[in-house]
């Protein structure tokens, strides 16, 4: 009586190859990627940009780009002291009294208008805010979103503030800040919202070990404010964009 023999080594190879291809394809298309410790590296341009459910774009084609974090200026005044956008905090958290709410990665920024108040139409930065996150030690861009909108918050507990007559008035008192949420789909492969804000090593006192966050906000009121602060009647020469970068190694020489 003859036993049933298994496939030959060549047959096993023929079976294994399509299975391996299928597993690779499944891993590439899974969202989000579940192995942040592997630090899956993406070559710039390897992925395509994609629309976000709430509006805006996940700029995934920029994943892995080395920077610089600060975008090239497109007019005068982007690095002037006023008006200016300043990042006050960023990170991953869960909302709710017991931190049991939905998880989110948020960036909080403050606007320094200068000697005169700056009025921005609500919603602030509607579909005109970008957020980029760069990993430490030359890892490149690890998250990128375009076309976001900010929430205006007030106080230590950051309560939402309704606009007055369809606008917000920012003063030097600094009692308002902007909360910008980075969508999960804007995170590059090999990372999650929970890890893009972490330093490497985790317990470090060196800012170079931490990610760099860059935020831009575009509004037509910005060049007029810059012209007002500079005492110049020609706002067209000024940039309409406020830019904030969490850390620049040579900020004084930028």
């Amino acid at each position: 009586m003859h036993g049933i023999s298994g496939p030959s080594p060549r047959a096993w190879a023929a079976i294994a190859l399509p299975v391996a291809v299928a597993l690779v394809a499944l891993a590439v298309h899974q969202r989000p990627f579940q192995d942040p410790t592997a630090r899956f590296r993406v070559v710039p341009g390897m992925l395509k940009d994609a629309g976000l459910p709430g509006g805006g774009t996940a700029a995934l084609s920029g994943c892995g780009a080395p920077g610089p974090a600060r975008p090239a200026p497109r007019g005068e005044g982007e690095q002037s002291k006023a008006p200016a956008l300043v990042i006050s905090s960023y990170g991953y958290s869960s909302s709710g009294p017991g931190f049991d709410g939905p998880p989110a990665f948020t960036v909080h920024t403050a606007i320094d208008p200068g000697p005169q108040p700056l009025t921005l139409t609500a919603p602030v930065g509607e579909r005109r805010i970008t957020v980029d996150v760069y990993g430490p030690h030359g890892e490149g861009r690890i998250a990128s979103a375009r076309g976001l909108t900010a929430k205006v918050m007030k106080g230590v507990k950051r309560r939402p503030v309704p606009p007055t007559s369809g606008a917000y008035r920012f003063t030097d008192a600094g009692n308002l800040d902007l909360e910008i949420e980075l969508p999960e789909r804007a995170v590059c492969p090999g990372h999650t919202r929970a890890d893009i804000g972490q330093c490497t090593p985790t317990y470090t006192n060196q800012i170079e070990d931490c990610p760099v966050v860059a935020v831009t906000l575009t509004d037509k009121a910005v060049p007029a404010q810059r012209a007002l602060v500079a005492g110049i009647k020609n706002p067209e020469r000024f940039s309409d964009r406020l830019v904030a970068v969490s850390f620049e190694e040579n900020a004084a020489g930028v």
Side-chain angles (χ1 to χ4, degrees):
M1 183 175 180
H2 296 285
I4 300 175
S5 61
S8 66
R10 179 176 296 181
W12 276 119
I15 295 171
L17 180 59
V19 172
V21 170
L23 289 175
V24 170
L26 177 62
V28 170
H29 285 90
Q30 280 184 333
R31 194 69 185 129
F33 291 79
Q34 297 296 332
D35 189 15
T37 58
R39 289 295 180 263
F40 179 79
R41 297 299 178 117
V42 180
V43 178
M46 174 180 172
L47 304 175
K48 293 182 178 180
D49 295 346
L52 294 168
T57 302
L60 302 180
S61 61
C63 289
R70 179 178 290 276
R74 59 184 191 189
E76 294 183 31
E78 281 194 5
Q79 297 183 53
S80 59
K81 293 183 178 180
L85 187 68
V86 180
I87 296 175
S88 53
S89 66
Y90 63 82
Y92 177 82
S93 65
S94 295
S95 59
F99 298 101
D100 52 357
F105 185 92
T106 53
V107 182
H108 291 94
T109 67
I111 293 178
D112 180 0
Q116 299 291 332
L118 172 62
T119 300
L120 299 179
T121 303
V124 171
E126 184 177 20
R127 305 289 176 85
R128 300 186 306 276
I129 293 177
T130 74
V131 175
D132 291 306
V133 183
Y134 293 84
H137 309 302
E139 185 175 358
R141 196 179 299 174
I142 57 178
S144 185
R146 304 287 182 269
L148 304 180
T149 302
K151 296 179 182 178
V152 179
M153 317 296 278
K154 183 176 182 179
V156 177
K157 294 185 178 181
R158 293 196 167 104
R159 301 183 185 279
V161 180
T164 302
S165 301
Y168 290 96
R169 190 169 183 264
F170 294 87
T171 68
D172 59 0
N175 59 339
L176 298 178
D177 70 358
L178 305 181
E179 180 179 281
I180 307 158
E181 183 173 345
L182 181 73
E184 180 180 16
R185 294 189 181 183
V187 179
C188 297
H191 287 275
T192 67
R193 285 181 298 178
D195 77 70
I196 58 173
Q198 295 179 356
C199 302
T200 305
T202 302
Y203 300 103
T204 178
N205 58 3
Q206 301 295 324
I207 195 168
E208 294 85 354
D209 294 331
C210 300
V212 175
V213 178
V215 179
T216 70
L217 183 157
T218 303
D219 195 285
K220 60 183 180 181
V222 173
Q225 185 76 359
R226 285 186 167 131
L228 179 65
V229 172
I232 296 174
K233 295 182 179 181
N234 182 19
E236 290 78 13
R237 60 189 279 186
F238 293 99
S239 170
D240 61 351
R241 186 172 61 182
L242 296 174
V243 180
V245 181
S246 62
F247 167 70
E248 293 178 276
E249 188 172 2
N250 187 26
V254 175

